[in-house]
Amino acid sequence: LGADAGAVDLFDAAAVKAATEGHDVVVNLATRIPPSSQAWRSSAWAENERLRTEASALLADAALDHGAERFVQEALAFAYADHGEAWIDEDEPIEPPGELGGVLAAEASAGRVTEAGAVGIVLRFGNFYGPTAGHTREQAQLVRRRVSPTPGDPEAWWSLVHTDDAGTAVTAALRAPAGAYNVVDDRPVRRRELDDAMAQAMGVGRLRRPPKVVRRAVEAKAPILTRSIRASNDRLKAATGWAPTYPSVVEGWAAVAADT
């Protein structure tokens, strides 16, 4: 497609500045998400936190130094507080737990770009799923054994987005006004609906919930994954005309199963 790839140390200010020189837009999607087997350890998120604090700040600085038109920063829709049955729009503050607090710094970097007169964009992505995502493959293995990989109350809401739709949302952000936008499916689902969608896609029967002791252990170590998040994508759609190819995880997981 005509892109040039390069390797850059995102914690090296001079290297970041050199790599971004001459560009109209800087987009930071860098993360370091640990595998599920390590995600319960706070220390496993340390590098991811550095990316959202140090690296994001350096990239925003570089965008401002070069006079870039806009800066786009990745963030999290599931960092909102638990809202039960209520819909969540971007006016609600995010409340990440301590080990994910770096997302506040990342959003602040985008805000700093806007304050300087350019366009700062925050994309609050739902929980990713896609055929090449490592945690999606892990989930598929559990589903094939008819075990639910979904923590939390089965009646609680969860907002997701297929990785392909996340990509088109980043493109849409290149024409969006400054601000924060939820990047999620049109239709959030209850966790029991997510289990049913995965089971149907993988051609298995009803999924079994893990033993209560396992559920409690996971929920104690990763409480953010048990929140009820019913996020709306209306703002991004109205601002850019973006729409997800997969309206919900029902259609999205069917596509994942075909490629997994």
Side-chain angles (χ1 to χ4, degrees), residues 56-219:
S56 180
L58 291 178
L59 286 160
D61 288 343
L64 291 172
D65 288 345
H66 296 314
E69 297 171 3
R70 66 179 55 219
F71 174 72
V72 181
Q73 171 62 50
E74 166 271 345
L76 306 173
F78 53 90
Y80 289 113
D82 188 312
H83 278 62
E85 294 290 309
W87 283 93
I88 304 172
D89 67 21
E90 294 84 350
D91 292 333
E92 294 293 328
I94 59 170
E95 297 183 16
E99 63 271 18
L100 294 178
V103 71
L104 292 169
E107 291 203 3
S109 291
R112 190 157 49 86
V113 171
T114 300
E115 290 169 2
V119 177
I121 301 286
V122 170
L123 297 180
R124 293 173 178 165
F125 291 104
N127 191 210
F128 289 131
Y129 66 98
T132 60
H135 65 277
T136 299
R137 293 180 180 275
E138 293 172 355
Q139 289 176 326
Q141 291 175 357
L142 287 172
V143 170
R144 288 190 181 100
R145 299 193 205 105
R146 298 187 180 183
V147 176
S148 167
T150 310
D153 182 347
E155 295 303 312
W157 292 92
W158 198 230
S159 293
L160 303 98
V161 65
H162 192 285
T163 49
D164 287 353
D165 288 328
T168 59
V170 173
T171 303
L174 302 184
R175 58 182 181 271
Y181 299 91
N182 293 332
V183 182
V184 294
D185 291 345
D186 285 338
R187 190 175 72 83
V189 294
R190 298 185 189 275
R191 283 176 169 81
R192 60 173 171 75
E193 294 179 284
L194 173 57
D195 278 354
D196 291 345
M198 291 188 290
Q200 182 176 354
M202 302 301 292
V204 301
R206 192 174 186 85
L207 302 185
R208 305 186 305 275
R209 301 288 290 169
K212 186 177 293 186
V213 64
V214 174
R215 297 203 307 271
R216 286 178 175 171
V218 172
E219 291 164 7

